[in-house]
Amino acid sequence: MTPSRYHRTRYGRYTGGPDPLAPPVDLREALDAIGEDVMSGVSPERALREYLRRGDANMRGLDRLAEAANRRRRELLRSRNLDGTFNEIRELLDEAVLAERKQLARDLDDDARFAEMQIDSLPASTAQAVRELSDYQWRSQTAREKYQQISDLLGREVLDQRFAGMKEALEGASEQDRQAISEMLTDLNDLLDAHNRGEDTTAQFQDFMNKHGEYFPENPENTDELIDALARRSAAASQFFNSLSPEQQAELAELSQQAFGSPALMNQLSQMDAALREARPDLGWDSGQGFSGDQPMGLGEGAAALRDIGELEELAEQLSQAYAGAQLEDIDLDALERQLGDEAAADARTLAELDRALAEQGFFQRTPDGRLNLTPKAMRQLGQSILRDIAQQLSSRSGERRADTTGRLGEPTGATREWAYGDTEPWDVTRTIGNSVLRTVAEAAPGADPVAAMASGGVRIDMGDVEVTDTEARPQAAVVLLVDTSFSMVMEGRWTPMKRTALALNHLISTRFRSDELHLIEFGRYARDTDVAELTALEPRMEQGTNLHHALLLAQRHLRRFPNAQPVVLVVTDGEPTAHLAPDGEPFFFYPPHPQTIGLTVRELEHVSRMGAQVTFFKLGEDPGLARFIDQIARRIGGRVVSPDLDGLGAAVVGDYLRARSAR
């Protein structure tokens, strides 16, 4: 019996682009964070930009990604140096000279003595020694092979600077391999010259790739792509040379002439570099870097490190988004993955998707003057989120009504009634099923077992069985929220909680209690009618004055529009009245509060009270003058005083509104 065969499957990371199983971007969390910044006085455009820069707990922002790119660049500069190839050549030269000395010591002829004198008189410079030994007749086979390795190493290194993988591919290369490289360079230079002359090189490029495509793993599709791939490597080779000390530059220039034992290779490469520089002059050919580490690099490794450094510098600029017309789509995700790993690329991709989704979902809109604003949809989303937080606060307090209870047009009375056409009240299920059972028993045949009759035929509900919950109508409310926007609200950190409160109350009324009419009024040196979008985007005003008098005048105008509605006035403030509206329409400010200001404010509060309004003051802070004023006026007009902390302001206002509504 043959053993059963099975197929072993190995799973790896998905590499076909963005993970198709990744969760969608969390727009709600992003919008909450952006909304908090907007409510603190930051413009929506800057708030969006700042969120993308800082990210969140699960996603690195642009600043952290740019910091990682800069840190990686510094590590490359600190950990590496450019002595690798020089050290390797020096070691090969020392080994060749040592082997030759041993051979000459065994040879007794006069020519051996002359050769010893030639070896002893070699210059200290590695490059000059290599050049003087180019015509030397080696007696030691080992020494001849070591010297040939120097020539081959130089050829492979200078090619590896400009063509990917050449150092390894040409190890142990034959003369035929070197000739193939020479032919490729000749054809390449012809192609580059034709391109720089402005000629159509489509056919020439195809012929070139058919003949020499094995040397280009990037698999370019046209001449421009070929130039892009080669120019970056060639520019990095130039930057490598510029990064050397003057002594190292002189040695490398002299050593390179011995690549593959002839200056022909360097001549071809120099011609190629010049053509590439002409085609792509903006790649920083004349720049360099200062390496200071203890890890030596060869010519190819050094050029690769410089390409990495250049790529990291470009990524840092792209991630900074500090240039004109910057977009997240500018970020090279492939380069980011090469340099910082797939997680960094995933974070950048998520940021771009988030930015695009916020725009596509309609959370931002451009005003005619070019400013970016939050849309009504965004305001609803923010209000829902804030109300959800407030609901959790209310539900944790004993005796408080939850803010997420669905509003109805009436409250149950405890009684039921027979359903009539047009009723929208909920069914009383217990009474309805009970009526059906009783009717089924009554309709059973005389003498029949009613239980058996129900078991056989079941219980069928007739429309006459249905009873609905009886409710009584609730009156409409005209709600006015007056919020203090004076200088002290900004200085004491009450600006954002005030806005959150207005946004939550607006969302609650507009979605759950739509029969009520909410109006927002903000007051500082003078009062202004506003809406939730304007209030949310309102920047801090450095103006002194608490003009409650003017705010109450505007509130009465709103209440008069709804004469049959129950008036509700909610006042959020942290200071006693210090301003009033003068007869000429200009605000009058004086501190400490002027008696006329107090008198006019009290008069308007009494007018509001006579209109039947329920007035609630939400006192912020510990201002003794405010406490005295509010306590006295509350007793005078039968109002309420609530002293919440900042975190509980929204819950206090929403809870008070719900209590007042329940009382109605």
Side-chain angles (χ1 to χ4, degrees), residues 408-430:
R408 303 189 184 95
L409 295 177
E411 288 288 352
T413 64
T416 62
R417 58 179 175 79
E418 185 177 347
W419 177 85
Y421 179 78
D423 282 338
T424 59
E425 287 77 9
W427 287 14
D428 186 311
V429 178
T430 303

Side-chain angles (χ1 to χ4, degrees), residues 411-458:
E411 288 288 352
T413 64
T416 62
R417 58 179 175 79
E418 185 177 347
W419 177 85
Y421 179 78
D423 282 338
T424 59
E425 287 77 9
W427 287 14
D428 186 311
V429 178
T430 303
R431 295 296 298 270
T432 298
I433 294 178
N435 292 339
S436 179
V437 170
L438 292 175
R439 182 179 51 76
T440 301
V441 172
E443 293 175 354
D449 184 358
V451 177
M454 285 189 292
S456 61

Side-chain angles (χ1 to χ4, degrees), residues 42-361:
V42 177
S43 69
E45 191 157 10
R46 181 181 173 189
L48 172 61
R49 186 170 63 250
E50 289 301 316
Y51 177 76
L52 295 175
R53 295 184 71 87
R54 68 175 179 265
D56 56 34
N58 302 315
M59 173 185 64
R60 282 178 292 180
L62 295 173
D63 281 349
R64 290 178 60 193
L65 291 173
E67 179 185 354
N70 288 322
R71 183 169 57 249
R72 170 67 176 156
R73 175 183 175 278
R74 290 193 299 269
E75 289 172 355
L76 286 174
L77 290 172
R78 283 200 302 260
S79 63
R80 308 293 184 88
N81 66 55
L82 303 178
D83 293 334
T85 298
F86 296 105
N87 292 340
E88 195 171 352
I89 292 173
R90 184 78 235 182
E91 290 175 3
L92 288 171
L93 180 62
D94 290 343
E95 292 173 3
V97 170
L98 178 60
E100 183 68 6
R101 287 183 186 279
K102 290 180 179 179
Q103 182 62 46
L104 292 174
R106 290 191 293 268
D107 295 343
L108 302 178
D109 57 284
D110 292 339
D111 290 339
R113 305 288 76 77
F114 179 78
E116 283 181 342
M117 293 174 58
Q118 190 176 355
I119 291 293
D120 290 340
S121 62
L122 286 174
S125 167
T126 302
Q128 293 178 13
V130 170
R131 185 187 60 189
E132 288 194 11
L133 291 171
S134 60
D135 297 327
Y136 180 80
Q137 300 299 317
W138 298 93
R139 296 196 176 199
S140 166
Q141 180 64 25
T142 300
R144 184 181 300 107
E145 291 174 354
K146 292 294 182 181
Y147 185 83
Q148 184 61 44
Q149 287 180 29
I150 293 175
S151 174
D152 290 345
L153 174 63
L154 286 168
R156 288 158 48 212
E157 286 278 13
V158 295
L159 286 171
D160 194 53
Q161 283 186 307
R162 296 162 176 84
F163 300 93
M166 279 290 191
K167 183 176 181 180
E168 292 77 14
L170 290 178
E171 188 171 3
S174 63
E175 184 60 34
Q176 184 178 359
D177 295 327
R178 299 190 189 100
Q179 185 61 36
I181 292 291
S182 179
E183 292 178 6
M184 182 271 290
L185 288 174
T186 299
D187 293 343
L188 176 59
N189 284 326
D190 291 342
L191 175 63
L192 295 176
D193 289 341
H195 176 273
N196 288 343
R197 289 193 301 268
E199 299 176 9
D200 183 0
T201 59
T202 304
Q204 189 176 356
F205 170 79
Q206 292 298 333
D207 292 341
F208 176 82
M209 291 302 295
N210 290 336
K211 186 176 180 181
H212 306 295
E214 61 183 297
Y215 298 111
F216 303 94
E218 302 90 351
N219 195 25
E221 296 184 357
N222 52 54
T223 305
D224 282 322
E225 290 188 9
L226 175 65
I227 291 175
D228 287 338
L230 289 175
R232 289 185 177 277
R233 300 183 69 91
S234 182
S238 176
Q239 293 165 10
F240 175 90
F241 185 83
N242 297 334
S243 302
L244 297 172
S245 67
E247 294 78 10
Q248 289 175 320
Q249 289 180 357
E251 287 224 354
L252 180 58
E254 192 166 356
L255 284 169
S256 298
Q257 297 302 314
Q258 301 300 319
F260 290 145
S262 167
L265 174 64
M266 284 308 301
N267 292 337
Q268 289 178 305
L269 290 177
S270 296
Q271 182 182 348
M272 182 192 77
D273 291 343
L276 291 171
R277 180 190 283 255
E278 180 181 348
R280 298 290 186 271
D282 58 336
L283 294 181
W285 296 80
D286 297 322
S287 63
Q289 298 287 348
F291 291 90
S292 59
D294 55 4
Q295 297 180 25
M297 293 183 294
L299 304 187
E301 292 174 320
L306 284 165
R307 287 197 305 276
D308 287 341
I309 289 171
E311 198 166 62
L312 287 165
E313 289 174 344
E314 291 180 3
L315 283 172
E317 182 180 8
Q318 294 165 7
L319 291 166
S320 74
Q321 295 284 286
Y323 50 92
Q327 296 180 350
L328 292 183
E329 285 75 12
D330 298 342
I331 300 172
D332 188 339
L333 297 179
D334 292 334
L336 192 62
E337 184 172 356
R338 281 194 300 272
Q339 299 298 337
L340 302 180
D342 51 3
E343 291 185 3
D347 286 338
R349 186 179 295 110
T350 301
L351 288 170
E353 291 174 358
L354 181 64
D355 185 36
R356 185 167 52 252
L358 285 169
E360 292 175 351
Q361 292 295 324

Side-chain angles (χ1 to χ4, degrees), residues 478-587:
V479 185
V480 188
L481 177 62
L482 291 76
V483 291
D484 189 346
T485 57
S486 61
F487 180 68
S488 59
M489 290 286 287
V490 179
M491 295 301 295
E492 298 297 332
R494 296 160 187 157
W495 194 256
T496 300
M498 172 270 292
K499 290 185 177 182
R500 287 175 57 88
T501 299
L503 200 57
L505 186 62
N506 176 78
H507 184 76
L508 175 64
I509 293 176
S510 63
T511 59
R512 308 291 175 85
F513 303 104
R514 297 180 182 179
S515 63
D516 288 355
E517 293 288 342
L518 173 64
H519 188 66
L520 301 177
I521 298 173
E522 47 112 346
F523 61 97
R525 180 67 67 94
Y526 55 91
R528 307 166 184 85
D529 294 314
T530 187
D531 58 34
V532 69
E534 292 175 347
L535 183 63
T536 301
L538 181 65
E539 297 183 6
R541 289 199 184 102
M542 299 306 175
E543 63 179 21
Q544 292 180 313
T546 305
N547 198 338
L548 181 57
H549 167 250
H550 189 191
L552 290 167
L553 291 174
L554 297 179
Q556 293 174 63
R557 187 169 64 185
H558 173 72
L559 297 178
R560 292 190 188 100
R561 295 194 190 103
F562 305 95
N564 298 321
Q566 171 64 47
V568 177
V569 177
L570 309 172
V571 183
V572 177
T573 184
D574 69 345
E576 56 187 321
T578 56
H580 67 267
L581 197 65
D584 61 358
E586 292 298 321

